[in-house]
Amino acid sequence: MIIAVDGPAASGKGTIAKALGRHYGLPVLDTGLLYRAVGLAVLKAGGDPDIESDALAACSFGDETLADPALRSEAVGSLASRVSVHQAVRDALVRRQRDFATQPGGAILDGRDIGTVIAPDAHAKLFVTASVHVRAQRRYQDALSHGGHPDMDSLIADIQARDTRDMSRDHAPLKVADGADLLDTSDLSIDAAVRQAIALVDAQLEGRSRG
Ligand code: CDP
């Protein structure tokens, strides 16, 4: 069984994907980390993330890169968004994601194009979203709890820039996949969002089994 969880930055999709993984006993891949790894590798190599060949050269990172805490920063998130517009970069990362998705027993993947491109035949699909303000607030709290000094205005601007770039790019833009259920987490606690996610997935799986 494959479950696809897509949505914009800080929508809660990662938290929901992990909780679904625990609930259904499935492994979870945060596909954003792959794009973040490319973004960080371009930076380290002194390349330009907006030049396709520079970004492509950064795609052959090792698995150990995925554990690098530097991947989590907002700056690397923006670099990820910039390298992810290139078709060659997306192609270079497809196999890794499809191999994970099709492993025996099933898997959950979260990202931007899981239900549309990576696993369009997924057994269940969610599109997790939340208002820009709520998402910026979450990033703000996150940064505070990690000892940072976040600035709300720049967090809002960053999220809006990322949304615009992710939704308007030519290749695999962020959009609601055919058959996906929308889950708006703006006014939901984590527990409530997870409960709703499980209910939506269960309903989709039941609908499929009834044919
Ligand atoms: O955690 P957050 O939602 O902030 O970002 P992420 O999921 O780690 O993704 C970082 C960036 O990678 C996104 O802004 C997208 O541009 C890109 N990405 C993508 O294009 N396709 C995916 N399947 C996952 C991420």
Side-chain angles (χ1 to χ4, degrees):
M1 157 166 99
I2 301 174
I3 302 177
V5 183
D6 289 305
S11 55
K13 64 185 185 306
T15 304
I16 286 174
K18 283 193 207 92
L20 291 175
R22 285 191 294 275
H23 182 80
Y24 295 104
L26 293 172
V28 181
L29 178 64
D30 170 0
T31 63
L33 277 184
L34 303 176
Y35 293 91
R36 284 171 179 262
V38 178
L40 187 60
V42 171
L43 185 71
K44 283 186 173 163
D48 181 342
D50 301 323
I51 296 179
E52 187 160 29
S53 53
D54 282 9
L56 182 61
C59 286
S60 48
F61 55 85
D63 275 348
E64 69 289 346
T65 309
L66 298 177
D68 188 339
L71 293 184
R72 307 278 172 185
S73 76
E74 223 25 64
V76 173
S78 295
L79 285 171
S81 169
R82 285 163 65 186
V83 297
S84 70
V85 303
H86 305 302
Q87 182 65 57
V89 168
R90 308 202 69 84
D91 288 345
L93 300 179
V94 159
R95 171 145 304 272
R96 219 166 170 150
Q97 297 174 78
R98 292 224 171 106
D99 284 351
F100 190 91
T102 57
Q103 66 187 288
I108 299 176
L109 290 86
D110 76 85
R112 301 289 190 291
D113 62 341
I114 308 304
T116 51
V117 174
I118 299 298
D121 296 329
H123 302 79
K125 299 182 189 179
L126 296 180
F127 189 92
V128 183
T129 186
S131 71
V132 170
H133 190 79
V134 165
R135 291 189 283 135
Q137 194 72 44
R138 287 176 186 160
R139 284 283 142 96
Y140 187 87
Q141 293 303 337
D142 222 42
L144 273 190
S145 67
H146 287 91
H149 304 281
D151 173 63
M152 194 61 181
D153 288 342
S154 55
L155 283 174
I156 289 178
D158 186 74
I159 283 184
Q160 280 173 330
R162 207 123 74 80
D163 282 357
T164 304
R165 196 183 297 119
D166 289 351
M167 292 187 297
S168 61
R169 67 187 178 210
D170 291 339
H171 313 296
L174 173 65
K175 62 176 181 198
V176 183
D178 279 345
D181 277 324
L182 215 76
L183 176 53
D184 187 331
T185 66
S186 302
D187 300 317
L188 298 178
S189 65
I190 291 178
D191 277 2
V194 167
R195 274 198 303 277
Q196 286 204 18
I198 291 170
L200 290 169
V201 168
D202 280 347
Q204 288 189 34
L205 296 176
E206 213 180 292
R208 277 179 82 100
S209 69
R210 265 200 244 109

